[in-house]
Short mmCIF file of all heavy atoms in Angstrom, two decimals:
data_model
loop_
_atom_site.label_atom_id
_atom_site.label_comp_id
_atom_site.label_asym_id
_atom_site.label_seq_id
_atom_site.Cartn_x
_atom_site.Cartn_y
_atom_site.Cartn_z
N VAL A 59 90.64 100.89 83.53
CA VAL A 59 90.83 101.98 84.37
C VAL A 59 90.39 103.31 83.62
O VAL A 59 89.69 104.11 84.18
CB VAL A 59 92.29 102.15 84.81
CG1 VAL A 59 92.53 103.51 85.43
CG2 VAL A 59 92.61 101.06 85.81
N GLN A 60 90.75 103.40 82.36
CA GLN A 60 90.35 104.63 81.57
C GLN A 60 88.87 104.75 81.48
O GLN A 60 88.31 105.82 81.63
CB GLN A 60 90.98 104.55 80.17
CG GLN A 60 92.46 104.73 80.10
CD GLN A 60 93.00 104.59 78.79
OE1 GLN A 60 92.63 103.68 78.00
NE2 GLN A 60 94.06 105.40 78.45
N LEU A 61 88.17 103.63 81.23
CA LEU A 61 86.70 103.70 81.09
C LEU A 61 86.03 103.99 82.39
O LEU A 61 85.11 104.75 82.42
CB LEU A 61 86.20 102.38 80.47
CG LEU A 61 86.62 102.09 79.06
CD1 LEU A 61 86.13 100.67 78.58
CD2 LEU A 61 86.04 103.15 78.11
N SER A 62 86.52 103.39 83.48
CA SER A 62 85.93 103.71 84.80
C SER A 62 86.21 105.13 85.25
O SER A 62 85.35 105.81 85.89
CB SER A 62 86.30 102.66 85.86
OG SER A 62 87.60 102.42 85.92
N MET A 63 87.33 105.64 84.96
CA MET A 63 87.67 107.05 85.28
C MET A 63 86.76 108.00 84.40
O MET A 63 86.25 108.95 85.02
CB MET A 63 89.12 107.31 84.99
CG MET A 63 90.11 106.80 86.00
SD MET A 63 91.82 107.01 85.56
CE MET A 63 92.00 108.77 85.61
N GLY A 64 86.51 107.65 83.17
CA GLY A 64 85.59 108.37 82.39
C GLY A 64 84.16 108.43 82.92
O GLY A 64 83.50 109.41 82.94
N GLN A 65 83.76 107.25 83.43
CA GLN A 65 82.43 107.10 84.03
C GLN A 65 82.31 107.98 85.31
O GLN A 65 81.32 108.68 85.50
CB GLN A 65 82.18 105.65 84.38
CG GLN A 65 80.78 105.40 84.98
CD GLN A 65 79.64 105.74 84.04
OE1 GLN A 65 79.72 105.47 82.84
NE2 GLN A 65 78.59 106.34 84.52
N GLU A 66 83.31 107.99 86.11
CA GLU A 66 83.31 108.75 87.34
C GLU A 66 83.30 110.26 86.99
O GLU A 66 82.60 111.08 87.61
CB GLU A 66 84.56 108.45 88.17
CG GLU A 66 84.50 107.11 88.94
CD GLU A 66 85.74 106.82 89.72
OE1 GLU A 66 86.39 107.80 90.16
OE2 GLU A 66 85.99 105.59 89.89
N LEU A 67 84.04 110.65 85.95
CA LEU A 67 84.12 112.04 85.53
C LEU A 67 82.79 112.43 84.95
O LEU A 67 82.32 113.62 85.25
CB LEU A 67 85.24 112.22 84.51
CG LEU A 67 85.52 113.64 84.05
CD1 LEU A 67 85.92 114.54 85.26
CD2 LEU A 67 86.56 113.64 83.05
N LEU A 68 82.11 111.58 84.24
CA LEU A 68 80.83 111.91 83.68
C LEU A 68 79.77 112.14 84.82
O LEU A 68 79.02 113.08 84.77
CB LEU A 68 80.37 110.78 82.78
CG LEU A 68 78.97 110.98 82.12
CD1 LEU A 68 78.91 112.19 81.29
CD2 LEU A 68 78.58 109.67 81.29
N GLU A 69 79.86 111.30 85.85
CA GLU A 69 78.95 111.48 86.98
C GLU A 69 79.25 112.81 87.67
O GLU A 69 78.26 113.55 88.03
CB GLU A 69 79.15 110.32 87.93
CG GLU A 69 78.61 109.03 87.45
CD GLU A 69 79.02 107.79 88.29
OE1 GLU A 69 79.42 108.05 89.46
OE2 GLU A 69 78.85 106.73 87.84
N TYR A 70 80.52 113.15 87.83
CA TYR A 70 80.89 114.41 88.43
C TYR A 70 80.33 115.62 87.58
O TYR A 70 79.77 116.64 88.10
CB TYR A 70 82.42 114.59 88.62
CG TYR A 70 82.82 115.92 89.09
CD1 TYR A 70 82.72 116.24 90.42
CD2 TYR A 70 83.29 116.87 88.24
CE1 TYR A 70 83.10 117.52 90.93
CE2 TYR A 70 83.71 118.12 88.69
CZ TYR A 70 83.61 118.45 90.03
OH TYR A 70 83.96 119.66 90.47
N ALA A 71 80.50 115.55 86.19
CA ALA A 71 80.06 116.57 85.29
C ALA A 71 78.53 116.72 85.41
O ALA A 71 78.01 117.84 85.39
CB ALA A 71 80.56 116.30 83.88
N ARG A 72 77.84 115.61 85.49
CA ARG A 72 76.39 115.68 85.51
C ARG A 72 75.95 116.35 86.85
O ARG A 72 75.00 117.19 86.81
CB ARG A 72 75.78 114.29 85.46
CG ARG A 72 75.79 113.71 84.05
CD ARG A 72 75.13 112.39 83.96
NE ARG A 72 74.99 111.93 82.63
CZ ARG A 72 75.00 110.60 82.29
NH1 ARG A 72 75.06 109.70 83.23
NH2 ARG A 72 74.89 110.31 81.01
N ASP A 73 76.60 115.98 87.93
CA ASP A 73 76.27 116.67 89.23
C ASP A 73 76.58 118.13 89.20
O ASP A 73 75.82 118.94 89.74
CB ASP A 73 77.04 115.96 90.35
CG ASP A 73 76.55 114.59 90.66
OD1 ASP A 73 75.44 114.20 90.24
OD2 ASP A 73 77.28 113.81 91.34
N ALA A 74 77.75 118.47 88.62
CA ALA A 74 78.19 119.84 88.57
C ALA A 74 77.37 120.72 87.68
O ALA A 74 77.25 121.97 87.88
CB ALA A 74 79.65 119.94 88.10
N THR A 75 76.65 120.13 86.66
CA THR A 75 75.89 120.93 85.75
C THR A 75 74.37 120.74 85.95
O THR A 75 73.55 121.26 85.20
CB THR A 75 76.24 120.61 84.32
OG1 THR A 75 76.07 119.21 84.09
CG2 THR A 75 77.70 120.95 84.01
N ALA A 76 74.01 120.08 87.05
CA ALA A 76 72.59 119.86 87.30
C ALA A 76 71.99 121.15 87.76
O ALA A 76 72.59 121.97 88.38
CB ALA A 76 72.39 118.72 88.35
N PRO A 77 70.69 121.27 87.54
CA PRO A 77 69.96 122.42 88.02
C PRO A 77 70.09 122.52 89.56
O PRO A 77 69.95 121.55 90.27
CB PRO A 77 68.49 122.25 87.64
CG PRO A 77 68.56 121.26 86.48
CD PRO A 77 69.75 120.38 86.75
N GLY A 78 70.39 123.72 90.02
CA GLY A 78 70.52 123.90 91.45
C GLY A 78 71.98 123.61 91.96
O GLY A 78 72.18 123.82 93.18
N ALA A 79 72.81 123.08 91.15
CA ALA A 79 74.21 122.78 91.63
C ALA A 79 74.96 124.10 91.88
O ALA A 79 74.72 125.09 91.27
CB ALA A 79 74.90 121.90 90.63
N LYS A 80 75.95 124.01 92.81
CA LYS A 80 76.74 125.21 93.06
C LYS A 80 77.51 125.53 91.70
O LYS A 80 78.01 124.71 91.02
CB LYS A 80 77.76 124.81 94.10
CG LYS A 80 78.79 125.96 94.38
CD LYS A 80 79.82 125.38 95.38
CE LYS A 80 81.13 126.08 95.05
NZ LYS A 80 82.16 125.20 94.58
N THR A 81 77.54 126.85 91.41
CA THR A 81 78.19 127.33 90.20
C THR A 81 79.71 127.20 90.41
O THR A 81 80.28 127.64 91.43
CB THR A 81 77.85 128.77 89.93
OG1 THR A 81 76.38 128.81 89.73
CG2 THR A 81 78.49 129.31 88.64
N LEU A 82 80.38 126.68 89.40
CA LEU A 82 81.86 126.55 89.42
C LEU A 82 82.46 127.78 88.89
O LEU A 82 81.82 128.57 88.16
CB LEU A 82 82.24 125.32 88.64
CG LEU A 82 81.69 124.02 89.04
CD1 LEU A 82 82.18 122.90 88.16
CD2 LEU A 82 82.10 123.65 90.46
N SER A 83 83.75 127.99 89.16
CA SER A 83 84.45 129.15 88.67
C SER A 83 84.85 128.74 87.22
O SER A 83 84.83 127.67 86.77
CB SER A 83 85.70 129.39 89.44
OG SER A 83 86.67 128.40 89.31
N ALA A 84 85.32 129.79 86.43
CA ALA A 84 85.74 129.53 85.09
C ALA A 84 86.90 128.53 85.04
O ALA A 84 86.97 127.71 84.14
CB ALA A 84 86.17 130.84 84.40
N THR A 85 87.76 128.66 86.02
CA THR A 85 88.89 127.74 86.07
C THR A 85 88.39 126.32 86.31
O THR A 85 88.95 125.37 85.74
CB THR A 85 89.89 128.19 87.23
OG1 THR A 85 90.33 129.54 86.92
CG2 THR A 85 91.04 127.29 87.27
N GLU A 86 87.41 126.12 87.17
CA GLU A 86 86.90 124.82 87.46
C GLU A 86 86.23 124.21 86.27
O GLU A 86 86.36 123.03 85.94
CB GLU A 86 85.93 124.85 88.62
CG GLU A 86 86.73 125.14 90.00
CD GLU A 86 85.75 125.46 91.15
OE1 GLU A 86 84.73 126.16 90.90
OE2 GLU A 86 86.01 124.94 92.25
N TYR A 87 85.48 125.09 85.55
CA TYR A 87 84.77 124.62 84.33
C TYR A 87 85.85 124.24 83.25
O TYR A 87 85.69 123.24 82.52
CB TYR A 87 83.81 125.62 83.73
CG TYR A 87 82.49 125.65 84.47
CD1 TYR A 87 82.02 126.76 85.13
CD2 TYR A 87 81.65 124.48 84.47
CE1 TYR A 87 80.78 126.76 85.74
CE2 TYR A 87 80.46 124.50 85.09
CZ TYR A 87 80.05 125.66 85.77
OH TYR A 87 78.75 125.63 86.38
N ARG A 88 86.86 125.08 83.20
CA ARG A 88 87.93 124.67 82.14
C ARG A 88 88.60 123.36 82.54
O ARG A 88 88.87 122.55 81.68
CB ARG A 88 89.01 125.84 82.14
CG ARG A 88 89.96 125.71 80.98
CD ARG A 88 90.95 126.90 80.89
NE ARG A 88 90.15 128.17 80.78
CZ ARG A 88 90.18 129.17 81.76
NH1 ARG A 88 90.86 128.99 82.81
NH2 ARG A 88 89.43 130.28 81.54
N TRP A 89 88.91 123.17 83.80
CA TRP A 89 89.42 121.88 84.21
C TRP A 89 88.58 120.71 83.93
O TRP A 89 88.97 119.76 83.38
CB TRP A 89 89.66 121.96 85.76
CG TRP A 89 90.17 120.64 86.36
CD1 TRP A 89 91.47 120.28 86.48
CD2 TRP A 89 89.45 119.47 86.83
NE1 TRP A 89 91.58 118.99 87.00
CE2 TRP A 89 90.32 118.50 87.19
CE3 TRP A 89 88.07 119.27 86.88
CZ2 TRP A 89 89.90 117.23 87.67
CZ3 TRP A 89 87.63 118.00 87.33
CH2 TRP A 89 88.57 117.02 87.78
N LEU A 90 87.21 120.84 84.18
CA LEU A 90 86.19 119.86 83.85
C LEU A 90 86.23 119.58 82.36
O LEU A 90 86.22 118.40 81.91
CB LEU A 90 84.89 120.28 84.38
CG LEU A 90 83.76 119.32 84.10
CD1 LEU A 90 84.04 117.94 84.74
CD2 LEU A 90 82.41 119.88 84.66
N ALA A 91 86.24 120.65 81.51
CA ALA A 91 86.23 120.46 80.09
C ALA A 91 87.51 119.75 79.60
O ALA A 91 87.39 118.85 78.73
CB ALA A 91 86.10 121.80 79.40
N CYS A 92 88.62 120.09 80.18
CA CYS A 92 89.88 119.41 79.77
C CYS A 92 89.84 117.93 80.17
O CYS A 92 90.26 117.02 79.39
CB CYS A 92 91.12 120.04 80.49
SG CYS A 92 91.49 121.70 79.75
N ARG A 93 89.36 117.57 81.36
CA ARG A 93 89.29 116.18 81.83
C ARG A 93 88.27 115.42 81.01
O ARG A 93 88.52 114.31 80.65
CB ARG A 93 88.88 116.09 83.32
CG ARG A 93 89.83 116.76 84.27
CD ARG A 93 91.33 116.32 84.32
NE ARG A 93 92.16 116.75 83.29
CZ ARG A 93 92.81 117.98 83.13
NH1 ARG A 93 92.63 118.84 84.11
NH2 ARG A 93 93.52 118.27 82.14
N LEU A 94 87.11 116.00 80.67
CA LEU A 94 86.16 115.34 79.78
C LEU A 94 86.68 115.10 78.46
O LEU A 94 86.41 114.07 77.82
CB LEU A 94 84.90 116.21 79.71
CG LEU A 94 83.97 116.20 80.95
CD1 LEU A 94 82.90 117.31 80.89
CD2 LEU A 94 83.34 114.85 81.18
N THR A 95 87.49 116.04 77.92
CA THR A 95 88.09 115.83 76.53
C THR A 95 89.09 114.71 76.64
O THR A 95 89.09 113.89 75.73
CB THR A 95 88.80 117.13 76.21
OG1 THR A 95 87.86 118.24 76.13
CG2 THR A 95 89.45 117.03 74.81
N GLU A 96 89.87 114.63 77.66
CA GLU A 96 90.81 113.49 77.80
C GLU A 96 90.09 112.16 77.91
O GLU A 96 90.49 111.17 77.28
CB GLU A 96 91.69 113.74 79.02
CG GLU A 96 92.64 114.87 78.94
CD GLU A 96 93.27 115.32 80.27
OE1 GLU A 96 92.91 114.73 81.30
OE2 GLU A 96 94.17 116.15 80.25
N ALA A 97 89.04 112.16 78.78
CA ALA A 97 88.25 110.91 78.92
C ALA A 97 87.60 110.51 77.65
O ALA A 97 87.57 109.28 77.32
CB ALA A 97 87.22 111.15 80.02
N LEU A 98 87.04 111.45 76.79
CA LEU A 98 86.47 111.14 75.55
C LEU A 98 87.52 110.58 74.63
O LEU A 98 87.25 109.58 73.96
CB LEU A 98 85.77 112.37 74.96
CG LEU A 98 85.15 112.13 73.56
CD1 LEU A 98 84.07 111.04 73.62
CD2 LEU A 98 84.56 113.49 73.09
N ALA A 99 88.72 111.17 74.55
CA ALA A 99 89.80 110.65 73.67
C ALA A 99 90.09 109.20 74.04
O ALA A 99 90.34 108.33 73.26
CB ALA A 99 90.96 111.56 73.79
N ASP A 100 90.25 108.93 75.41
CA ASP A 100 90.59 107.63 75.85
C ASP A 100 89.47 106.67 75.45
O ASP A 100 89.79 105.54 74.96
CB ASP A 100 90.75 107.59 77.34
CG ASP A 100 92.01 108.28 77.85
OD1 ASP A 100 92.92 108.56 76.97
OD2 ASP A 100 92.14 108.65 79.09
N THR A 101 88.26 106.99 75.59
CA THR A 101 87.15 106.17 75.34
C THR A 101 87.05 105.82 73.85
O THR A 101 86.83 104.67 73.47
CB THR A 101 85.84 106.75 75.86
OG1 THR A 101 85.92 106.98 77.26
CG2 THR A 101 84.61 105.87 75.59
N LEU A 102 87.25 106.85 72.99
CA LEU A 102 87.23 106.65 71.61
C LEU A 102 88.33 105.69 71.13
O LEU A 102 88.19 104.88 70.28
CB LEU A 102 87.30 107.98 70.86
CG LEU A 102 86.07 108.84 70.94
CD1 LEU A 102 86.25 110.19 70.32
CD2 LEU A 102 84.82 108.19 70.37
N ARG A 103 89.51 105.83 71.79
CA ARG A 103 90.62 104.96 71.40
C ARG A 103 90.34 103.51 71.82
O ARG A 103 90.65 102.63 71.07
CB ARG A 103 91.91 105.46 72.14
CG ARG A 103 93.15 104.77 71.72
CD ARG A 103 94.38 105.36 72.38
NE ARG A 103 95.57 104.86 71.81
CZ ARG A 103 96.08 105.39 70.63
NH1 ARG A 103 95.54 106.39 70.01
NH2 ARG A 103 97.17 104.86 70.16
N VAL A 104 89.76 103.32 73.01
CA VAL A 104 89.32 101.98 73.43
C VAL A 104 88.28 101.42 72.43
O VAL A 104 88.41 100.22 72.02
CB VAL A 104 88.82 101.97 74.90
CG1 VAL A 104 88.18 100.62 75.23
CG2 VAL A 104 89.93 102.31 75.87
N ALA A 105 87.37 102.27 72.11
CA ALA A 105 86.28 101.80 71.15
C ALA A 105 86.90 101.44 69.78
O ALA A 105 86.53 100.42 69.14
CB ALA A 105 85.25 102.87 70.96
N GLU A 106 87.85 102.20 69.32
CA GLU A 106 88.52 101.92 68.04
C GLU A 106 89.29 100.65 68.11
O GLU A 106 89.19 99.70 67.28
CB GLU A 106 89.47 103.03 67.64
CG GLU A 106 90.17 102.80 66.31
CD GLU A 106 91.14 103.89 66.00
OE1 GLU A 106 91.32 104.93 66.71
OE2 GLU A 106 91.81 103.76 64.95
N SER A 107 90.08 100.45 69.21
CA SER A 107 90.81 99.23 69.38
C SER A 107 89.95 98.00 69.44
O SER A 107 90.14 97.00 68.78
CB SER A 107 91.64 99.31 70.71
OG SER A 107 92.26 98.12 70.94
N ARG A 108 88.84 98.05 70.17
CA ARG A 108 87.92 96.87 70.28
C ARG A 108 87.13 96.72 69.02
O ARG A 108 86.89 95.60 68.60
CB ARG A 108 87.01 97.13 71.47
CG ARG A 108 87.75 97.03 72.76
CD ARG A 108 86.89 97.24 74.00
NE ARG A 108 87.66 97.20 75.22
CZ ARG A 108 87.16 97.27 76.41
NH1 ARG A 108 85.84 97.39 76.56
NH2 ARG A 108 87.94 97.18 77.47
#
Side-chain angles (χ1 to χ4, degrees):
V59 168
Q60 287 175 325
L61 294 175
S62 47
M63 287 174 64
Q65 181 64 38
E66 289 179 25
L67 186 59
L68 179 60
E69 291 170 14
Y70 175 79
R72 283 183 176 151
D73 290 343
T75 58
K80 177 185 147 248
T81 302
L82 301 177
S83 70
T85 303
E86 290 169 319
Y87 279 120
R88 192 174 304 112
W89 178 90
L90 181 57
C92 289
R93 300 302 76 80
L94 286 168
T95 302
E96 292 167 355
L98 178 59
D100 289 344
T101 301
L102 291 173
R103 187 174 193 85
V104 170
E106 180 182 357
S107 175
R108 292 180 181 182

